Amino acid sequence: MKRGDQLYSGKAKTVFLTDEPNRLILHFRNDTSAFDGEKTAQLDRKGLVNNKFNAFIMSKLEQAGIKTHFDRLKSDTESVVKRLDMVPIECVVRNIAAGSICKRYGVVEGIDLHPPTFEFFLKDDARHDPMVNEYHIRAFGWASEEEVAQMKASTFQVNTVLSELFASGGMLLVDFKLEFGRYGGELLLGDEFTPDGCRIWDAETREKLDKDRFRRDLGGVVEAYEQVAARLGVPLE
Ligand code: ADP
Ligand code: UDP
């Protein structure tokens, strides 16, 4: 497969066309960003670690019957994926309160959420990804009623599968963000699942092992991602 023109360059990945019209190449870069792109840095090895981490998780999700865009690893920092018509919505599930939900509602970080809590956000950095509900999504035509229901059901299914997976490595899956897109008549899980887009804590010490290390200047960002990968058995080399 040949890498073609660049289609889009985001904050952490670059998307390329290929010689197959329904396939794209995702290039995971070392760039990292937080606070809607206000804080940025280059972190050595992050592209490689996230590319391989994502491939491992997407394969686990496929094995559990969740349809994803993932096709195959192409190189250390690139993957081949199905070309989706992305829904401009971020789907977030939270098992434990952290991040924006604590600021928004004045709740303490670390409390268990029963039931796990679901939120939709509009993917729009300029507007700081505002929270939206399913009526906004349908009324503004971002997705249909059926797609909304599918995104929600699929995100909860991912939560069940991955909470168990992280627990098996002695970790808590605190929260995570997913993006979906259309492919033919189907809705598939797109984008990525890496420690850039979720919160993972050590189950005993509650040490942060995700992008909060970058947001809060805790250091050892990629080292923490590698620790998570090692505990899950993700092959990095
Ligand atoms: P952002 O756009 O938030 O800065 P990235 O740097 O990760 O994020 O850029 C990757 C972009 O590619 C995102 O906008 C994402 O929605 C999009 N994308 C992810 N998977 C696919 C896919 N299979 N088909 C088309 N676009 C995709
Ligand atoms: N998240 C993400 N991209 C975003 C917003 C959030 O990947 O644009 C992830 C984030 O890493 C966390 C979860 O979604 O795992 C919930 O994020 P939150 O709403 O708490 O916002 P944050 O505190 O990360 O700004």
Side-chain angles (χ1 to χ4, degrees):
M1 170 177 283
K2 280 202 193 111
R3 196 165 106 167
D5 290 342
Q6 180 180 309
L7 185 63
Y8 173 79
S9 189
K11 297 186 291 296
K13 301 192 290 302
T14 306
V15 183
F16 293 94
L17 294 169
T18 70
D19 49 4
E20 290 179 43
N22 55 9
R23 290 290 184 282
L24 298 173
I25 291 173
L26 292 188
H27 174 222
F28 288 74
R29 308 193 314 269
N30 286 342
D31 298 281
T32 191
S33 79
F35 312 122
D36 301 320
E38 274 172 33
K39 177 175 177 175
T40 60
Q42 282 268 318
L43 300 176
D44 208 30
R45 276 177 67 81
K46 196 196 72 143
L48 178 150
V49 173
N50 275 5
N51 184 41
K52 299 198 171 172
F53 194 100
N54 179 62
F56 178 87
I57 297 286
M58 290 282 170
S59 305
K60 289 280 178 201
L61 294 176
E62 289 279 358
Q63 282 166 24
I66 297 157
K67 290 185 175 175
T68 82
H69 68 158
F70 187 76
D71 181 347
R72 62 185 187 273
L73 279 170
K74 179 168 166 56
S75 71
D76 277 353
T77 56
E78 295 169 307
S79 287
V80 179
V81 298
K82 290 175 176 150
R83 182 178 185 170
L84 306 183
D85 167 25
M86 295 303 289
V87 175
I89 295 294
E90 300 184 336
C91 300
V92 171
V93 162
R94 302 173 188 274
N95 297 303
I96 297 175
S100 72
I101 200 173
C102 295
K103 285 196 196 126
R104 204 180 322 125
Y105 304 120
V107 296
V108 175
E109 181 179 271
I111 59 168
D112 286 346
L113 298 173
H114 295 295
T117 301
F118 187 94
E119 295 167 344
F120 287 116
F121 296 91
L122 178 64
K123 200 173 151 60
D124 185 342
D125 281 338
R127 292 184 173 77
H128 304 291
D129 293 352
M131 190 159 81
V132 293
N133 68 32
E134 36 197 283
Y135 288 89
H136 300 125
I137 296 173
R138 288 165 55 197
F140 294 123
W142 294 317
S144 69
E145 185 175 7
E146 192 191 351
E147 288 170 334
V148 166
Q150 281 178 18
M151 290 193 290
K152 209 165 157 178
S154 187
T155 306
F156 275 119
Q157 205 185 338
V158 168
N159 189 43
T160 303
V161 175
L162 295 187
S163 291
E164 202 177 305
L165 181 71
F166 283 101
S168 71
M171 294 171 283
L172 298 169
L173 179 58
V174 172
D175 60 29
F176 61 93
K177 180 270 298 181
L178 300 180
E179 294 181 29
F180 294 85
R182 306 170 186 101
Y183 186 80
E186 286 188 311
L187 199 69
L188 306 184
L189 174 61
D191 204 47
E192 67 177 76
F193 190 104
T194 68
D196 269 0
C198 66
R199 289 190 170 90
I200 303 159
W201 294 350
D202 179 88
E204 293 292 319
T205 64
R206 297 209 156 196
E207 183 189 5
K208 296 180 196 306
L209 301 171
D210 55 69
K211 199 163 86 173
D212 270 348
R213 300 201 69 84
F214 173 68
R215 294 189 187 94
R216 301 183 180 202
D217 296 320
L218 299 175
V221 181
V222 179
E223 290 78 0
Y225 292 18
E226 289 183 293
Q227 191 194 135
V228 177
R231 290 202 206 180
L232 295 179
V234 179
L236 291 183
E237 299 311 328

